[in-house]
Amino acid sequence: MSSQGETSPKPEQRRPSEAVAHPELGGAEDAAVLAKLGYKQELRRNFTMIEVFGIAFSIMGLLPSIASTLSYSIPAGPVGMVWGWFLASGFIFIVGLAMADLGSAMPTSGGLYWWTHFFASPATRNPLSFLVGYSNTLGLVGGLCSIDYGFSLMFLSVIVVATDGNYTPSNGVIYSVFLACVICHGILASTLSKVMGKLQTVFVVMNFILIFATIIALPVGRAMNRNSGSYIFADTENLTTWPTGWAFMLAWLSPIWTIGGFDSCVHMSEEAANATRAVPYGILMAIGSCWLFGFILVVVIAGCMDTNLSNILGSPFGQPMAQIYYDAVGKQGTLGFMSLLFIVQFLMGLSILVAASRQSWAFSRDGALPFSKFFRPISKNLGYIPFRAIWGCVILAAILGLLALIAPAAAQALFSLAVAGNNLAWGTPIFARVVWGQRKFKPGPFYTGDRLSVPIAWTAIVFLVFGIFLSMFPVGGPNPTPATMNYTVVINSSIWIGALLYYFIDARKWFTGPKITIDTDDLTEEQAEAIRDEGLIVNGLEPMHGSGEEATLGAGRSLGRDEKNTSVVS
């Protein structure tokens, strides 16, 4: 009997728990959840639920983001600013609900492309997963570019205000400040890993200090010139050559870009304690906070800004928000507020670089990025972080930032390419789940319910597709010139088409998707049957098509092989 016990499959059954034998990295329960998804714990779980919320909220950087995107909302007037914010934020919250369902069920750093691969059909899972991984990486790095470009403009606007408008920075100067900012972010993201979670609380506090200071200062400074309620909530303008209704829709780009960092909660899954709850609630808390406080802010701004909107958009300071501050609190007050604004914007860039590097690292872990073997290792000495992936993102951001040297319109593509890239990456796994994978979906602790989950998912999909098309329209009007063209359609289409061509020409020969090793103990029979129907290799389930590992499409690699692929560098 004892010899039988020695030859039983107990070691294989225990293998998921081996991933939790790293007390310095995190708790056993989180590592066990991750092991079910096919991965061992490699990153240290430094983030609490509040800190997960904090990194998303910090990336959104509410007021700096609103300030950076006023050129989208002001042309539609107060109605576009106020009601555009409220309506678009509501739809974004619905997207957050759909993503929270998935994030609670399957919390992993590469969640978006992992979910796509798991839920998509056998014929589409590999190319779609490949496309989503590249689109999400582009979206996050594009977000870093747009944030740091906004920082550059805000930083230089302080100099312009200080010189009373007698200084005009060139495109080269703007790019130089942008590049210095990106490099600083790389250095800080590489050296502050052990306190990065704690810093998110500081970042959130600084965001709220700026928000409340603005909410108080603008009405006080404009006490004798505040606008009426009818102007704030009912006045429609159109400073574009588009129809008024479409100008209102283009104003939605401001909240769509601003509230665009909530997927960072997903990318921090493997560094979050109690991830099955921290991830979904972090997503919803971040979106909900921006929805509420953003609405208050745009109401205050609309109530205190000059009613001659052309004066704001054509401000000699180069930033509409700088002109709004200047009209309310004068030169010295503007210098103070804009300084605080660019500081918070700088912190936004640091947070999104952290999230982007985790997505890039997760994608390289599955061998999908060029030079994946180089980017995959984790630096133990620097606090179990993907050091090489961080600097890979920095270099890519520096290259994309060269758009700032062309023209302001080209630089604006840095904002909208983040929207388009992320929308495709967010929408595809949600679509795959409701079209192909609903039977395989096993809810986590957070779940919107059987009745609401699918309608919520379809609403999110429609909105995200609309957002992609919206982000590609020239903001000023039809018939754009090269100087006013929105180059998002060129950049994103090139990335998407390039990724698919890369897959079908070469990557299909070796890219087999992320590792799927779901624990079968708590699957329902229907879920188990659905997985068998797909031909996926999952520990504990006999495949329907063929036998052993030959039946897999690459989705069911064993944990043993995963352990061999683990790399740690000093």
Side-chain angles (χ1 to χ4, degrees), residues 404-454:
L405 295 175
I406 301 175
Q412 287 297 110
L414 296 174
F415 291 84
S416 45
L417 73 85
V419 171
N422 282 328
N423 277 21
L424 185 140
W426 300 340
T428 304
I430 300 171
F431 178 82
R433 175 204 151 189
V434 294
V435 172
W436 296 300
Q438 187 60 27
R439 292 173 62 204
K440 292 188 291 186
F441 177 65
K442 180 189 174 188
F446 176 91
Y447 182 45
T448 52
D450 293 336
R451 288 187 177 182
L452 294 178
S453 184
V454 173

Side-chain angles (χ1 to χ4, degrees), residues 203-227:
F203 297 172
V204 170
V205 170
M206 292 191 66
N207 268 281
F208 277 112
I209 289 174
L210 180 59
I211 290 169
F212 288 119
T214 299
I215 290 173
I216 294 170
L218 288 184
V220 170
R222 296 280 289 181
M224 304 302 295
N225 297 286
R226 288 198 294 261
N227 301 319

Side-chain angles (χ1 to χ4, degrees), residues 135-185:
S135 188
N136 191 210
T137 301
L138 171 69
L140 287 167
V141 177
L144 171 63
C145 289
S146 56
I147 288 172
D148 286 2
Y149 178 74
F151 164 85
S152 179
L153 295 180
M154 290 180 188
F155 178 84
L156 292 169
S157 73
V158 172
I159 300 176
V160 176
V161 172
T163 58
D164 297 315
N166 293 319
Y167 169 73
T168 302
S170 65
N171 290 340
V173 171
I174 293 172
Y175 178 76
S176 297
V177 175
F178 163 86
L179 183 61
C181 180
V182 173
I183 292 173
C184 286
H185 285 148

Side-chain angles (χ1 to χ4, degrees), residues 262-287:
F262 56 86
D263 67 314
S264 59
C265 298
V266 176
H267 303 308
M268 303 308 296
S269 294
E270 296 179 36
E271 295 174 75
N274 198 10
T276 56
R277 289 178 173 81
V279 171
Y281 287 111
I283 290 171
L284 298 179
M285 288 163 60
I287 298 174

Side-chain angles (χ1 to χ4, degrees), residues 10-28:
K10 286 184 180 179
E12 188 65 23
Q13 291 175 348
R14 287 180 180 175
R15 181 158 282 174
S17 67
E18 290 177 6
V20 307
H22 301 285
E24 61 182 353
L25 298 184

Side-chain angles (χ1 to χ4, degrees), residues 220-390:
V220 170
R222 296 280 289 181
M224 304 302 295
N225 297 286
R226 288 198 294 261
N227 301 319
S228 66
S230 61
Y231 176 81
I232 296 171
F233 296 105
D235 187 79
T236 300
E237 303 273 355
N238 185 5
L239 302 185
T240 75
T241 55
W242 291 110
T244 300
W246 191 244
F248 173 78
M249 301 310 301
L250 287 171
W252 288 30
L253 285 172
S254 177
I256 288 173
W257 184 82
T258 298
I259 315 178
F262 56 86
D263 67 314
S264 59
C265 298
V266 176
H267 303 308
M268 303 308 296
S269 294
E270 296 179 36
E271 295 174 75
N274 198 10
T276 56
R277 289 178 173 81
V279 171
Y281 287 111
I283 290 171
L284 298 179
M285 288 163 60
I287 298 174
S289 298
C290 284
W291 186 3
L292 172 62
F293 289 103
F295 183 71
I296 295 172
L297 277 169
V298 293
V299 168
V300 170
I301 292 172
C304 300
M305 67 184 182
D306 186 351
T307 56
N308 187 336
L309 302 182
S310 297
N311 288 345
I312 300 174
L313 291 175
S315 170
F317 304 138
Q319 280 284 293
M321 196 66 204
Q323 187 65 52
I324 293 171
Y325 278 132
Y326 193 88
D327 293 339
V329 295
K331 179 178 177 178
Q332 297 305 317
T334 301
L335 291 174
F337 272 104
M338 291 303 295
S339 297
L340 186 55
L341 206 64
F342 76 65
I343 290 171
V344 174
Q345 184 94 348
F346 180 87
L347 301 180
M348 290 167 57
L350 176 58
S351 294
I352 198 171
L353 175 58
V354 171
S357 65
R358 272 51 174 184
Q359 154 62 21
S360 303
W361 169 77
F363 207 34
S364 67
R365 177 173 58 181
D366 291 307
L369 287 179
F371 313 108
S372 286
K373 290 183 179 179
F374 176 80
F375 290 116
R376 181 186 303 155
I378 295 296
S379 174
K380 182 177 179 180
N381 287 347
L382 292 175
Y384 292 93
I385 61 168
F387 174 79
R388 295 178 182 179
I390 290 172

Side-chain angles (χ1 to χ4, degrees), residues 60-88:
M60 294 172 185
L62 188 56
L63 184 51
S65 294
I66 291 174
S68 296
T69 55
L70 283 175
S71 58
Y72 292 114
S73 56
I74 285 180
V79 164
M81 292 177 61
V82 173
W83 295 117
W85 183 277
F86 185 82
L87 293 173

Side-chain angles (χ1 to χ4, degrees), residues 26-152:
E29 183 177 348
D30 281 316
V33 170
L34 187 59
K36 290 181 181 180
L37 306 181
Y39 299 122
K40 68 178 295 183
Q41 186 69 48
E42 297 183 69
L43 304 175
R44 180 179 281 122
R45 293 188 181 270
N46 290 322
F47 289 75
T48 65
M49 181 189 296
I50 295 300
E51 290 163 353
V52 171
F53 151 75
I55 196 166
F57 190 77
S58 297
I59 289 172
M60 294 172 185
L62 188 56
L63 184 51
S65 294
I66 291 174
S68 296
T69 55
L70 283 175
S71 58
Y72 292 114
S73 56
I74 285 180
V79 164
M81 292 177 61
V82 173
W83 295 117
W85 183 277
F86 185 82
L87 293 173
S89 298
F91 281 108
I92 296 168
F93 192 82
I94 292 173
V95 175
L97 287 170
M99 190 177 292
D101 276 346
L102 295 174
S104 180
M106 300 173 174
T108 175
S109 293
L112 298 173
Y113 74 87
W114 199 102
W115 302 332
T116 299
H117 193 275
F118 181 68
F119 290 120
S121 68
T124 62
R125 63 167 57 103
N126 282 352
L128 284 182
S129 175
F130 199 76
L131 174 64
V132 166
Y134 273 91
S135 188
N136 191 210
T137 301
L138 171 69
L140 287 167
V141 177
L144 171 63
C145 289
S146 56
I147 288 172
D148 286 2
Y149 178 74
F151 164 85
S152 179

